[in-house]
Amino acid sequence: MTRWSVAMALGALAFVPLRAGAQDDPPDAEDVAPDPAEVAFGAEAEVVPDEPGESRARSTVTRAAMDERQPQSTPDALRWVPGVAVQQTSHAQASPYVRGLTGQRVVHVFDGVRLNTGIYRQGPNQYFFTVDEATVGSLEVVRGSGSVRYGSDALGGVIRAEPLRPHLGPVEGVVWRPRVRLRYGSADREVGGRAQLQVRWDDTAVQLGVGYRDVDRLRGGGVVRHRTGGGTLTRGDVAPWVPRFAEEADSPPSEWRTQLGTGFREATFDVRIDRRVAPKLRAFAALYGYRQMDAPRTDQCPAPEAPVDECLSIDRQWRTLAYAGLRGDAGFFRDLALTVSYQRHDERRRRDRPRSGVRFRWDDRVDSLGLAFRATTPLREAMPRVALTYGADGYRDEVHSGGEQAFTDLEPERVFALSRGQYLDDSLQVSLGAFAELEVQPLRWLTARAGARGQIVEVSAPSDPESGSASVDRTFRSLVGRMGLEARPHRRAAILLNVDQGFRAPNLDDLTGRQQVGPGFQFENADLQPERALTSELGGRVDLDWLRFEVWVWTTRIRDGIQRVVREIADCPPSTPDCQGSRDPFQLVNAPGSSRLFGGEGVAALSLPQHVALQGTLSYAWGEGPSLGDRFAPAGRVPLSRVPPLQGTFEGKWRHPATGLWVGAGLRWAAAQDRLAVSDASDPRIPRGGTPGYALVELRAGWRWKDWLQVSVLAHNLGDVAYKVHGSSIVGPARGVRLTLELGPR
């Protein structure tokens, strides 16, 4: 079946009968999102529970904003959020940076379920990508340490995805609400869509969904030059090794556009049932599945200086999430969130070396069981007001990992099992924690908050003598706290101060993992200690009918930060040919002393007459840490790895409320980044001298007819700029269009 026939089949589902029963039954006020045509930038289009109060630096991306911006993935939807940069190691991966931190230092949550597992990597490029953007109702980024609420890993912040939920409004009979979404993208010839059906009766609603897309090789704006290069564009002078281009053999570098190591296929499915069990309490159960196939890793397909037919690809990236729980108010429990979950993440990687007659394959699987509880209880509702938010959570991750080596030039092909995979088979990580946070409002203009969490993380893994892998049996305990003050000199203005402790226990990836990373090959360190952080932030907020303005300045100090240090080839562990053949071997170590990040971000949104809305953001982060004393590092303090540069956005939109027509434009820019860590300087993904700056302009337009039809068009990168987000392997999409068509009621 071709990708066009799949898209046509999804489209046909739009024409099934729409309902059986009463017509035009309105959903409950708490279940319906505002009309996207009425939503300005930054407005709430979905109720986002679980994080009461506005005391943090936080931003929400609504479903309406995603429909207008047409992101290629869930991480891509965060590119317009202040304080966030999105790095891509491949076309099918993306890793959000929050205040200069990513990977294991940022917690990802989907509908109250923690996605971070024991094998989350420093750059978990694929994991958040497996959250299907078409199923997301809103995204929230909480910047700054969230360890009190979310436990280990939340040093840089928390990214929370809330799914689309079926409405639970009163109905007569049975109400059917089918909807189909089709999308096309010219830069990578993306073709795909999603078909969704909601069925409601009484106080129960069911939502079913299925999606598919086929994405071809990505056409970029051209070669991103080394910042130390100049003059004529040549392979050896100013054309970095990553990415490689399909036109290299037949044309000069100035004409290179189509990137090798890009393109993928994916399929998704979801089933959800919600039932109202009390006026403000719903029970729910859900199953979400994501299946990604044939996704090459751009910086390793081919690897720098390797033959063009050598490739490391991800044959499958499969995630299955099943969970059930309660959400709402129940007795003295306000904002109750109780969730029990099961998650399986299955990854298969394959490295083909045809000229050597060798193929490697690695299979990793992590099964996670989770239980999370959170609620708020008002202790005093009259002045002075007092409320207590509290909760507990536990997660158990079991890892199965293996690998094989095949000699493909033999008849028949010979296959041998490797003694270990990327991780040690039958590894286990268990995390248990509880927190409490007290909010006191002694005066109408003043609110104080304070909280603490206790956490235990246990990590165990068997030994493997053949590969020189030692057994691991570690227990990490931590107690962290936070405090905050909020002063309101005016009911529409606030000044906020927060001080948060954060921590991250070394996980199975740190303690046992062996893997290919951008600069080379990284191997484990079983003696690592936890990272600990202290974040201080000062913010101001103004929220008027026509103007919303917010600005934050912050600083984060990380003690015992886990960083990469360059080792010798002779230091590679046994039975690791990828390490012995790498450009640079790396090992994780705890840095002596402390690392420091500081910066700021701001956002301003303006609502003008005649239905015109404007919004701009600005973000800056700067980081340095102690030198690790390897052979390439200078003495003293050095830059931290892949910290994003100064960057910003500007957007404008006009809409016509009577016709449902809207038009808009966007500008996204970043300054050059030449402050490079030691590992950055040897990273082939980063041009010599640093990543050049860029400015991208796009135009948007759309039309919405009642609640039945929505058409959205995006013309992106109008200047056809060759650009890279700092640390990315891929060159960003060339000038092109994306077109989305949605049919059926929301």
Side-chain angles (χ1 to χ4, degrees):
M1 181 178 290
T2 67
R3 53 183 181 160
W4 287 105
S5 60
V6 171
M8 292 176 65
L10 290 172
L13 294 178
F15 300 100
V16 299
L18 291 184
R19 51 197 303 113
Q23 297 190 3
D24 300 325
D25 300 300
D28 285 1
E30 68 177 37
D31 294 317
V32 68
D35 185 336
E38 299 293 333
V39 176
F41 298 109
E44 295 282 352
E46 288 284 332
V47 176
V48 182
D50 249 3
E51 190 72 35
E54 293 291 337
S55 64
R56 306 303 305 267
R58 53 191 287 187
S59 299
T60 299
V61 182
T62 66
R63 180 70 254 174
M66 285 185 273
D67 289 342
E68 294 173 5
R69 295 166 181 164
Q70 298 196 58
Q72 293 177 300
S73 65
T74 298
D76 194 44
L78 300 174
R79 294 192 188 276
W80 300 86
V81 174
V84 177
V86 182
Q87 178 257 330
Q88 289 188 262
T89 296
S90 81
H91 193 197
Q93 302 177 342
S95 185
Y97 278 68
V98 181
R99 290 185 171 177
L101 299 175
T102 191
Q104 306 147 325
R105 293 166 166 174
V106 175
V107 167
H108 302 91
V109 179
F110 181 81
D111 202 9
V113 179
R114 177 187 172 98
L115 300 183
N116 295 52
T117 67
I119 60 173
Y120 245 50
R121 302 199 280 268
Q122 284 194 334
N125 292 286
Q126 71 276 46
Y127 298 134
F128 201 54
F129 200 95
T130 63
V131 175
D132 181 14
E133 178 268 337
T135 67
V136 174
S138 67
L139 290 166
E140 184 188 54
V141 180
V142 181
R143 303 184 294 276
S145 175
S147 287
V148 168
R149 289 284 182 97
Y150 291 93
S152 180
D153 301 359
L155 302 186
V158 179
I159 300 176
R160 302 173 59 239
E162 295 295 326
L164 293 170
R165 297 185 179 92
H167 302 308
L168 285 176
V171 297
E172 295 179 8
V174 179
V175 176
W176 304 76
R177 300 175 68 92
R179 188 168 184 85
V180 68
R181 169 185 175 181
L182 301 174
R183 190 164 77 172
Y184 169 76
S186 65
D188 52 13
R189 298 200 303 167
E190 173 188 349
V191 175
R194 169 180 168 82
Q196 177 181 291
L197 175 65
Q198 290 186 7
V199 183
R200 288 187 289 146
W201 68 96
D202 297 331
D203 288 323
T204 304
V206 175
Q207 178 175 287
L208 308 173
V210 60
Y212 177 82
R213 66 171 168 166
D214 192 329
V215 181
D216 207 342
R217 285 179 173 176
L218 176 63
R219 182 175 172 83
V223 177
V224 176
R225 304 186 181 202
H226 292 298
R227 297 191 70 238
T228 55
T232 304
L233 186 62
T234 63
R235 166 86 262 181
D237 180 26
V238 290
W241 282 108
V242 176
R244 300 283 290 273
F245 295 86
E247 302 92 345
E248 288 185 22
D250 304 318
S251 59
S254 59
E255 299 178 9
W256 296 350
R257 292 296 191 100
T258 305
Q259 301 168 69
L260 299 177
T262 56
F264 61 96
R265 295 179 297 120
E266 71 177 19
T268 64
F269 61 89
D270 55 275
V271 180
R272 183 183 183 96
I273 180 169
D274 285 51
R275 179 172 177 80
R276 191 180 306 281
V277 295
K280 294 185 178 181
L281 182 68
R282 71 164 66 190
F284 56 87
L287 172 67
Y288 289 84
Y290 178 91
R291 302 290 185 263
Q292 184 189 97
M293 293 77 69
D294 305 324
R297 178 165 164 167
T298 306
D299 65 333
Q300 297 291 321
C301 197
E305 303 172 353
V308 71
D309 56 356
E310 182 174 310
C311 183
L312 174 63
S313 61
I314 300 177
D315 284 349
R316 68 185 189 190
Q317 192 76 245
W318 292 3
R319 185 175 63 84
T320 303
L321 172 63
Y323 61 94
L326 296 170
R327 185 74 59 84
D329 295 345
F332 61 89
F333 292 130
R334 306 284 179 86
D335 298 315
L336 169 68
L338 174 64
T339 309
V340 58
S341 62
Y342 166 75
Q343 182 178 194
R344 167 172 286 189
H345 198 111
D346 193 351
E347 178 179 291
R348 173 176 293 173
R349 299 174 310 285
R350 188 185 74 245
R351 181 182 290 280
D352 291 302
R353 292 176 172 169
R355 302 188 188 189
S356 301
V358 176
R359 182 186 69 246
F360 291 93
R361 197 185 81 179
W362 299 271
D363 289 275
D364 301 315
R365 188 183 82 233
V366 57
D367 293 289
S368 301
L369 293 173
L371 177 64
F373 163 77
R374 188 169 304 166
T376 297
T377 298
L379 302 180
R380 180 182 172 88
E381 300 196 64
M383 295 295 293
R385 297 190 179 99
V386 181
L388 180 67
T389 300
Y390 46 92
D393 48 67
Y395 291 89
R396 180 185 185 275
D397 305 329
E398 184 175 350
V399 176
H400 297 280
S401 183
E404 66 179 32
Q405 180 179 5
F407 294 94
T408 58
D409 55 353
L410 299 179
E411 290 290 345
E413 182 177 282
R414 300 287 300 276
V415 179
F416 299 91
L418 300 175
S419 67
R420 59 162 288 169
Q422 180 164 300
Y423 307 103
L424 291 169
D425 195 31
D426 292 328
S427 300
L428 188 66
Q429 179 168 314
V430 177
S431 175
L432 299 172
F435 79 92
E437 184 173 338
L438 189 67
E439 178 177 292
V440 180
Q441 187 179 8
L443 303 170
R444 294 191 179 277
W445 58 271
L446 181 65
T447 303
R449 301 175 178 93
R453 166 182 279 262
Q455 186 91 23
I456 298 176
V457 179
E458 295 184 349
V459 182
S460 62
S463 64
D464 180 42
E466 184 176 341
S467 63
S469 303
S471 63
V472 176
D473 189 5
R474 305 285 302 277
T475 299
F476 306 103
R477 296 178 175 84
S478 183
L479 179 65
V480 294
R482 74 171 305 263
M483 60 163 290
L485 289 174
E486 177 179 351
R488 289 190 170 272
H490 186 274
R491 65 185 183 88
R492 291 181 175 267
I495 300 172
L496 305 109
L497 172 66
N498 294 309
V499 179
D500 291 81
Q501 291 180 315
F503 80 100
R504 185 179 81 81
N507 65 4
L508 287 168
D509 180 78
D510 300 311
L511 301 171
T512 70
R514 296 179 182 178
Q515 60 199 276
Q516 194 73 46
V517 296
F521 188 89
Q522 176 182 298
F523 56 92
E524 76 277 11
N525 183 351
D527 297 322
L528 291 171
Q529 299 299 319
E531 299 179 288
R532 300 185 183 276
L534 181 66
T535 297
S536 303
E537 60 182 14
L538 177 65
R541 181 183 293 129
V542 174
D543 192 358
L544 306 176
D545 292 336
W546 56 278
L547 173 66
R548 183 175 61 87
F549 176 81
E550 188 171 327
V551 63
W552 292 86
V553 293
W554 55 271
T555 179
T556 298
R557 287 189 175 273
I558 302 176
R559 184 161 45 90
D560 296 324
I562 297 176
Q563 300 181 25
R564 292 172 179 155
V565 62
V566 181
R567 299 300 193 194
E568 303 284 350
I569 295 294
D571 297 323
C572 288
S575 302
T576 52
D578 275 6
C579 181
Q580 295 161 1
S582 67
R583 295 166 59 90
D584 289 305
F586 291 87
Q587 188 178 32
L588 297 177
V589 299
N590 289 106
S594 63
S595 301
R596 182 167 65 103
L597 293 119
F598 70 82
E601 62 255 351
V603 58
L606 184 65
S607 296
L608 299 176
Q610 302 302 316
H611 308 287
V612 174
L614 303 176
Q615 176 171 291
T617 70
L618 185 67
S619 308
Y620 177 71
W622 185 95
E624 69 169 16
S627 173
L628 300 183
D630 59 47
R631 66 183 189 276
F632 298 116
R637 308 282 289 180
V638 295
L640 294 180
S641 178
R642 292 183 292 170
V643 175
L646 177 70
Q647 59 185 20
T649 67
F650 180 78
E651 298 173 274
K653 183 179 70 172
W654 169 83
R655 62 179 176 84
H656 191 281
T659 63
L661 179 70
W662 60 269
V663 295
L667 167 67
R668 183 161 55 88
W669 61 271
Q673 179 57 288
D674 56 6
R675 296 191 71 253
L676 304 180
V678 175
S679 58
D680 294 343
S682 62
D683 192 334
R685 299 174 297 182
I686 298 176
R688 289 197 302 269
T691 304
Y694 58 85
L696 309 172
V697 177
E698 62 184 48
L699 296 178
R700 310 161 182 163
W703 176 58
R704 188 181 187 202
W705 181 70
K706 298 183 179 179
D707 197 31
W708 295 87
L709 171 66
Q710 180 169 305
V711 180
S712 302
V713 180
L714 171 71
H716 56 79
N717 194 1
L718 296 181
D720 206 22
V721 176
Y723 74 98
K724 270 188 175 186
V725 175
H726 183 57
S728 295
S729 296
I730 66 170
V731 174
R735 178 170 51 225
V737 298
R738 291 186 208 135
L739 174 64
T740 302
L741 172 66
E742 294 191 51
L743 298 168
R746 283 185 177 273

